[in-house]
């Protein structure tokens, strides 16, 4: 998968892109990420990307022309200039608190695209006409407002990268993750066997794989019922309907 990102703070991505699973996924060429500076698409000496809002009020608004130029340049690159695996035009996603809230189902849907283009706003946001002209969908990482779309873009990239085959070493760790089966994950334990008087549940030391699987399922159900009654109700309902 290829991900292009547009931001006025591309330097925010450097540590994130080099570290851990994301760094390794790029080295292994399972994931290719390019962060572009929106200011490269301005046409004035000061590389201006914002202006005062029509109608007055506080704050600045990001102007449409640099965004339109940038999105079109990255979308309409001739095939020969595109990266390998980058055949399709990118899905153009505006990071926005007004977008569809990100969840596991949306992450999995987005992971099916071979190319994404993420637009990271700043200030009061981006001139509305950019959304109308060159955006396929808006995605929010939650009902709160951050100062920019860079952290939301990193959240999206990290969540999607876990769905790309080979990025997470053991496929079953993704399969058992919270939300996948409509439940939270079960509790996990590692050495030492006793921590301040708290022992590891005995079944996990038994070597009985069927008993361990049953225990993990029961604990996942219990964790979901206690921590996320909304999810638990949905899980019960889907079981009732044979899901
Ligand atoms: N005035 C806008 C509003 O209230 O809808 C918020 C603008 S916010 C300060 C600046 C940028 O941060 C947005 O354009 C968006 O790219 C990003 N952003 C802020 N909160 C976000 C969230 N919850 N999810 C995704 N992007 C977010």
């Amino acid at each position: 998968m290829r991900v292009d990102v547009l931001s006025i703070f591309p330097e925010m991505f450097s540590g994130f892109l080099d570290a851990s699973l994301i760094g390794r996924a790029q080295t292994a060429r399972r994931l290719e990420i390019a962060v572009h500076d929106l200011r490269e698409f301005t046409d004035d000496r000061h590389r201006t990307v914002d202006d005062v809002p029509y109608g007055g009020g506080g704050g600045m608004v990001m102007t449409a022309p640099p965004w339109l130029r940038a999105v079109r340049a990255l979308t309409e690159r001739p095939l020969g200039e595109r990266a390998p695996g980058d055949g399709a035009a990118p899905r153009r996603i505006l990071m926005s608190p007004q977008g569809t809230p990100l969840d596991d189902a949306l992450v999995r849907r987005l992971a099916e695209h071979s190319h994404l283009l993420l637009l990271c706003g700043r200030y009061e946001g981006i001139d509305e006409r950019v959304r109308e002209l060159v955006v396929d969908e808006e995605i929010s990482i939650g009902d709160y407002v951050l100062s920019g779309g860079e952290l939301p873009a990193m959240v999206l990239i990290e969540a999607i990268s876990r769905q790309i085959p080979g990025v997470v070493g053991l496929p079953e760790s993704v399969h058992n993750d919270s939300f996948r089966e409509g439940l939270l994950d079960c509790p996990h334990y590692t050495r030492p066997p006793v921590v301040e008087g708290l022992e590891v549940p005995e079944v996990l030391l038994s070597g009985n794989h069927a008993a361990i699987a049953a225990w993990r399922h029961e604990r996942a159900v219990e964790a979901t019922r206690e921590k996320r009654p909304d999810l638990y109700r949905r899980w019960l309902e889907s079981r009732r309907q044979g899901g």
Side-chain angles (χ1 to χ4, degrees):
M1 171 186 270
R2 176 170 173 102
V3 183
D4 285 288
V5 181
L6 273 166
S7 160
I8 57 168
F9 293 118
E11 66 276 14
M12 283 182 70
F13 289 82
S14 49
F16 168 72
L17 291 184
D18 295 343
S20 188
L21 289 182
I22 300 284
R24 288 205 297 275
Q26 289 177 98
T27 309
R29 299 193 66 79
R30 295 185 198 283
L31 186 59
E32 187 167 358
I33 304 173
V35 185
H36 308 271
D37 187 346
L38 180 73
R39 291 190 198 276
E40 299 295 327
F41 297 89
T42 53
D43 61 359
D44 66 313
R45 204 157 54 87
H46 301 290
R47 311 208 315 156
T48 311
V49 291
D50 60 334
D51 208 334
V52 293
Y54 279 122
M60 300 294 274
V61 176
M62 299 192 93
T63 58
W67 285 105
L68 297 180
R69 262 182 236 121
V71 172
R72 287 179 177 143
L74 294 170
T75 304
E76 292 161 12
R77 265 181 310 168
L79 215 56
E81 290 175 22
R82 291 189 192 162
D86 178 19
R91 181 89 179 149
R92 300 160 302 179
I93 297 172
L94 173 61
M95 306 315 303
S96 159
Q98 303 180 16
T100 309
L102 187 64
D103 64 8
D104 188 58
L106 181 48
V107 167
R108 279 190 278 165
R109 173 167 71 69
L110 292 172
E112 284 168 14
H113 290 272
S114 61
H115 190 179
L116 302 176
L117 170 56
L118 310 182
L119 284 66
C120 306
R122 281 269 154 182
Y123 314 123
E124 284 304 313
I126 304 175
D127 188 304
E128 182 67 7
R129 291 163 291 187
V130 171
R131 189 185 65 77
E132 289 172 23
L133 289 168
V134 293
V135 166
D136 297 310
E137 69 182 296
E138 278 179 283
I139 293 180
S140 164
I141 62 159
D143 287 350
Y144 43 83
V145 175
L146 298 167
S147 302
E150 289 78 11
L151 289 172
M154 289 185 235
V155 167
L156 189 59
I157 291 170
E158 185 151 310
I160 289 173
S161 69
R162 294 180 62 79
Q163 305 308 319
I164 299 172
V167 169
V168 176
L170 291 173
E172 56 271 31
S173 51
V174 174
H175 181 75
N176 294 332
D177 271 345
S178 292
F179 313 113
R180 186 47 41 99
E181 300 296 320
L183 292 170
L184 299 181
D185 196 3
C186 64
H188 297 282
Y189 297 86
T190 185
R191 281 186 281 254
V194 184
V195 174
E196 299 194 3
L198 297 180
E199 293 181 7
V200 174
E202 218 176 301
V203 63
L204 297 179
L205 308 173
S206 69
N208 180 338
H209 296 296
I212 291 171
W215 179 89
R216 285 184 169 151
H217 179 71
E218 280 163 29
R219 292 292 87 76
V221 172
E222 192 177 283
T224 312
R225 192 175 55 229
E226 283 172 11
K227 299 180 193 176
R228 289 290 303 274
D230 58 321
L231 269 189
Y232 179 68
R233 277 193 298 275
R234 245 183 286 153
W235 176 76
L236 274 185
E237 191 52 38
S238 82
R239 270 172 46 114
R240 245 177 245 131
Q241 292 172 2

